[in-house]
Amino acid sequence: MQLPLSRAISPGLEFLPRTGSTNEVLVGRASDAPHFAVVVTTDQTAGRGRLGRVWVAPPGKTLAVSVLLRPESPSPDSLGWLPLLAGLAMTRAVSSLVTGHAVTLKWPNDVQVDGLKVSGLLTELAAGGTAVVVGAGLNLTMTKAELPTPVSTSLSLNGVPEESLVDAALASYLTELTHLYAGFAEAGFDASRGLHGQVAAACGSLGKSVRVELPGGSDLFGIAESIDEFGRLVVRDDTTSHAVAAGDVTHLRYA
């Protein structure tokens, strides 16, 4: 696949006609691969989502892309913001393609169109913690019958033309990711100098009643109040506020 718009942003981009997982490919190369190495496919057979979920999609209907980032002197605080940075990049990319619909970031890194999931991201440490691989899956042309869940959607279902969609979507995402990462690096990887506010402004979880499925299997119910200085979601239940570092968030319909 030629992908001229995307290769103009990332000349070393590698397109794989088929692969198990773009993240696994890039994690395996992380010790030697350069900053912003990119691996892409439209046929991922063993994709992984958050909390160990499997990402399954018909061939040619979705985009899977992984990008290697090498932050200088990374701190745990700065690394914790990279999944949110990538989610914001995808939110902005989808917003540039979809018109007349609300595009928001569901904490920590799902992208929704009118409340339906169009993209999910998975970030992994690599090369002994010196690099980060950011993986993203984006539903391009899936029909309603092909969607994995009733709360999913695709770009084509929201009126985005299918012609050259792979290149247009990928180039938009890589552009946003490049700009946001450059700004984060220029700010000394300090999220308080711009990134925090940008993520909060795009986050559709804030102000909503939510259920958070925590890693240990318990559930937290409450109102998503804010995102703290570490990128954690602050959820207030009946008695107190809880800072959630990891969990699967569901937006509830009642107030």
Side-chain angles (χ1 to χ4, degrees):
M1 189 172 288
Q2 296 302 311
L3 305 173
L5 298 176
S6 302
R7 293 187 190 279
I9 302 161
S10 178
L13 179 153
E14 181 178 3
F15 177 81
L16 302 176
R18 191 183 194 200
T19 191
S21 164
T22 56
N23 260 31
E24 286 188 0
V25 170
L26 205 46
V27 167
R29 301 176 181 175
S31 296
D32 301 315
H35 174 69
F36 220 80
V38 180
V39 175
V40 182
T41 189
T42 55
D43 187 2
Q44 182 169 253
T45 60
R48 291 173 291 117
R50 295 183 61 252
L51 302 179
R53 295 190 178 97
V54 177
W55 181 281
V56 179
K61 298 280 188 171
T62 65
L63 173 69
V65 51
S66 294
V67 181
L68 182 74
L69 302 177
R70 291 191 180 280
E72 297 181 7
S73 303
S75 68
D77 291 351
S78 65
L79 292 176
W81 278 95
L82 290 178
L84 291 163
L85 184 152
L88 178 60
M90 184 61 80
T91 301
R92 291 182 173 178
V94 172
S95 294
S96 73
L97 299 167
V98 174
T99 58
H101 299 272
V103 181
T104 55
L105 175 66
K106 182 168 79 72
W107 187 93
N109 44 19
D110 283 351
V111 179
Q112 296 184 324
V113 179
D114 295 334
L116 301 177
K117 180 177 176 177
V118 72
S119 174
L121 295 95
L122 178 67
T123 303
E124 301 181 76
L125 287 175
T130 63
V132 175
V133 173
V134 178
L138 178 63
N139 296 338
L140 298 176
T141 60
M142 298 174 79
T143 65
K144 287 185 178 180
E146 293 169 329
L147 294 171
T149 72
V151 291
S152 301
T153 190
S154 68
L155 293 181
S156 61
L157 287 173
N158 287 278
V160 182
E162 295 187 13
E163 184 177 358
S164 302
L165 180 53
V166 173
D167 197 20
L170 179 59
S172 184
Y173 171 62
L174 293 178
T175 297
E176 296 291 349
L177 186 63
T178 300
H179 288 169
L180 283 168
Y181 184 85
F184 192 34
E186 186 176 344
F189 297 101
D190 181 354
S192 70
R193 296 171 59 188
L195 180 61
H196 190 167
Q198 293 176 73
V199 169
C203 185
S205 300
L206 299 185
K208 285 189 168 58
S209 296
V210 298
R211 182 183 76 241
V212 186
E213 181 184 345
L214 300 172
S218 61
D219 288 337
L220 170 65
F221 291 86
I223 302 294
E225 292 185 315
S226 63
I227 296 172
D228 73 8
E229 67 270 27
F230 304 110
R232 299 177 300 184
L233 186 68
V234 179
V235 178
R236 182 167 186 82
D237 62 14
D238 293 336
T239 59
T240 189
S241 293
H242 307 264
V244 178
D248 192 27
V249 173
T250 300
H251 295 171
L252 303 176
R253 295 186 180 274
Y254 54 82

